[in-house]
């Protein structure tokens, strides 16, 4: 079974600064998807960014970018020019590309990192 | 983006009663939907995978007779918590899959007294 580990329960950053959230995972599969989701106080899950394991290029979405190190099984999220609206819980998630009928298509989440933005 | 709704957004029920939660994909058809559970200040845990027209697949440790899932159409999946107890109180979130992306509903907060 796959596991996802987020070792930072909470992070704090000054507005307009850059912050990096860490995520490591364990899998025996060679192809898979990795995601970062944001969960604000409303509890609505919002996709921030997605990375396909077979792509070597790191994904980027505006102020959000990832550092995907496949050999190290590391998938960190960098938020540049932090804004007050970025304050939320951030979850790293894994999805297998293999559908076995046993829920492999579902997401495995890390425990989350609470991001605080200091004005 | 694709929109997924859940109803109700919150529900309070007495111990021993059953509660049904609906998950709808509003602007797309979803052959696969997922149900997650989130306890306070914790992560989301996959409970089951719901496939249209077939039986749901439950994760290890999830009682299928307690958490009944029905995916009767391509836009609707329901989760029924039977004989609810206070320990079933939680935040239940559904998602619907399109290709390689999942779209999440806003969640349902269940409180069992």
């Amino acid at each position: 079974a796959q596991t996802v580990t987020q070792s930072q329960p909470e992070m704090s950053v000054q507005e307009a600064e850059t912050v990096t959230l860490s995520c490591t995972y364990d899998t025996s599969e060679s192809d898979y998807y990795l995601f970062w989701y944001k969960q604000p106080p409303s509890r609505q899950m919002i996709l921030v960014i997605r990375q396909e394991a077979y792509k070597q290029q790191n994904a980027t979405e505006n102020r959000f970018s990832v550092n995907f190190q496949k050999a190290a099984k590391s998938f960190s999220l960098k938020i540049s020019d932090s804004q007050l609206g970025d304050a939320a819980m951030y979850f790293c998630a894994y999805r297998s590309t293999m559908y076995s009928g046993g829920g492999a298509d579902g997401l495995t989440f890390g425990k989350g990192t609470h991001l605080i933005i200091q004005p | 983006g694709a929109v997924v709704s859940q109803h109700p957004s919150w529900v309070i029920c007495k111990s021993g009663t059953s509660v049904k939660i609906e998950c709808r994909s509003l602007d797309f058809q979803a052959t696969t939907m997922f149900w997650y559970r989130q306890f306070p200040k914790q992560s989301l845990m996959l409970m089951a995978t719901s496939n249209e027209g077939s039986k749901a697949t439950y994760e290890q440790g999830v009682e299928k007779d307690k958490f009944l899932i029905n995916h009767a159409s391509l836009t609707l999946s329901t989760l029924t918590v039977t004989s609810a107890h206070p320990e079933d109180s939680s935040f239940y979130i559904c998602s619907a899959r399109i290709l390689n992306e999942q779209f999440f509903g806003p969640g349902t907060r269940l409180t069992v007294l």
Side-chain angles (χ1 to χ4, degrees):
Chain A
Q2 295 79 25
T3 58
V4 178
T5 302
Q6 293 178 251
S7 59
Q8 306 155 317
E10 186 173 282
M11 291 284 285
S12 182
V13 64
Q14 290 288 129
E15 193 175 3
E17 297 291 303
T18 296
V19 64
T20 298
L21 308 184
S22 301
C23 173
T24 58
Y25 59 94
D26 188 28
T27 183
S28 59
E29 299 175 340
S30 60
D31 197 16
Y32 45 86
Y33 295 92
L34 295 166
F35 305 85
W36 278 99
Y37 281 91
K38 170 184 177 181
Q39 187 180 44
S42 68
R43 307 288 295 267
Q44 174 72 56
M45 297 292 285
I46 301 167
L47 177 65
V48 175
I49 202 165
R50 175 180 64 203
Q51 176 79 42
E52 296 165 69
Y54 68 87
K55 291 186 176 180
Q56 293 186 344
Q57 187 172 5
N58 289 326
T60 299
E61 288 288 341
N62 301 314
R63 298 183 294 109
F64 299 87
S65 61
V66 298
N67 183 2
F68 173 48
Q69 300 290 327
K70 190 173 183 179
K73 296 180 182 175
S74 171
F75 183 61
S76 61
L77 174 69
K78 185 172 81 170
I79 305 175
S80 304
D81 185 24
S82 297
Q83 300 175 0
L84 294 177
D86 294 334
M89 284 293 292
Y90 284 81
F91 292 98
C92 179
Y94 175 103
R95 184 173 84 77
S96 172
T97 58
M98 298 170 59
Y99 179 66
S100 65
D105 212 30
L107 295 171
T108 299
F109 287 90
K111 290 185 181 299
T113 297
H114 182 210
L115 179 62
I116 299 168
I117 309 296
Q118 305 278 5
Chain B
V3 179
V4 177
S5 70
Q6 278 184 245
H7 178 80
S9 56
W10 59 270
V11 57
I12 301 173
C13 69
K14 293 182 178 180
S15 186
T17 61
S18 295
V19 174
K20 179 185 285 188
I21 302 170
E22 293 185 349
C23 176
R24 293 182 184 273
S25 55
L26 298 185
D27 50 1
F28 65 99
Q29 294 182 330
T31 55
T32 303
M33 292 183 173
F34 303 90
W35 287 96
Y36 296 85
R37 183 173 181 175
Q38 185 179 30
F39 288 109
K41 299 187 184 299
Q42 293 190 25
S43 188
L44 284 76
M45 297 294 293
L46 179 65
M47 298 177 65
T49 302
S50 171
N51 295 298
E52 187 268 338
S54 64
K55 291 183 178 180
T57 302
Y58 291 83
E59 294 300 295
Q60 192 172 10
V62 177
E63 301 174 59
K64 62 181 180 181
D65 294 331
K66 181 170 187 59
F67 299 98
L68 301 179
I69 292 172
N70 185 289
H71 194 155
S73 78
L74 288 172
T75 59
L76 173 65
S77 176
T78 60
L79 169 68
T80 301
V81 183
T82 62
S83 187
H85 292 284
E87 57 265 31
D88 298 324
S89 297
S90 188
F91 194 65
Y92 293 87
I93 307 175
C94 73
S95 72
R97 184 170 67 84
I98 300 178
L99 299 176
N100 295 318
E101 193 163 333
Q102 289 190 28
F103 296 90
F104 286 84
T108 296
R109 178 176 300 283
L110 170 64
T111 301
V112 184
L113 302 176

